[in-house]
Amino acid sequence: RVVGFIDIVSPGNNRMLYELKRFLNNLDDALERGIHLLVVDVHPPGKHDPRGVHAAFWEMRSSESHGVSFEQPLGLSAYRADVTPIAYFEPLAAGNSLPDMPIFLTPDYYVNLPLETTYLESWQGVPARWKRVLEGQNGD
């Protein structure tokens, strides 16, 4: 049984309004089925989500939500599925260290995911050629 999932937002999730709505509806469906979520949104907001994916999603469920800002245009969101779901939002900017974020296993129990450590360890395994491409240093 799936109790939670991690979703890393891709640029395609908010490129077109119907794609964003489909993505947000999938998140909403998961919460309604009791599945906890951790959403990693490391792309600047688009015209369909000017305050970020979290604000667009949480406004579907509530009249208030925190969103990204010009200074911190990226965001991490943990959602606890419960009778009344709860959101934990952490805005950030490029270059910031990624904070540990909770992924809930039950409404009362979570584990913190070490996002920065995981990212740094994963980056070590990327071949040098692809690191140069991703860093815009490709001399090809």
Side-chain angles (χ1 to χ4, degrees), residues 3 11 14 17 29 47 55 61 91 97-98 105 107 113 118 126 129:
V3 297
N14 65 0
L17 183 57
D29 182 56
K47 66 180 179 179
R61 305 189 60 86
S97 292
L98 296 170
L105 303 177
L113 296 179
T118 303
V126 174
R129 179 199 189 297

Side-chain angles (χ1 to χ4, degrees), residues 105-127:
L105 303 177
T106 72
D108 300 318
Y109 182 76
Y110 66 90
V111 293
N112 273 325
L113 296 179
L115 297 176
E116 181 75 10
T117 302
T118 303
Y119 170 76
L120 292 174
E121 287 181 18
S122 297
W123 184 248
Q124 292 302 315
V126 174

Side-chain angles (χ1 to χ4, degrees), residues 42-68:
V42 293
H43 299 283
K47 66 180 179 179
H48 305 297
D49 65 341
R51 294 180 48 234
V53 167
H54 167 70
F57 175 56
W58 207 242
E59 286 169 359
M60 288 174 46
R61 305 189 60 86
S62 169
S63 61
E64 293 183 25
S65 73
H66 298 286
V68 299

Side-chain angles (χ1 to χ4, degrees), residues 9-28 39 41 45-57 59-60:
V9 179
S10 75
N13 291 127
N14 65 0
R15 181 181 11 209
M16 306 286 278
L17 183 57
Y18 76 90
E19 292 170 336
L20 178 64
K21 285 184 177 184
R22 182 176 57 209
F23 178 73
L24 299 179
N25 286 334
N26 287 340
L27 295 178
D28 192 54
V39 178
D41 184 11
K47 66 180 179 179
H48 305 297
D49 65 341
R51 294 180 48 234
V53 167
H54 167 70
F57 175 56
E59 286 169 359
M60 288 174 46

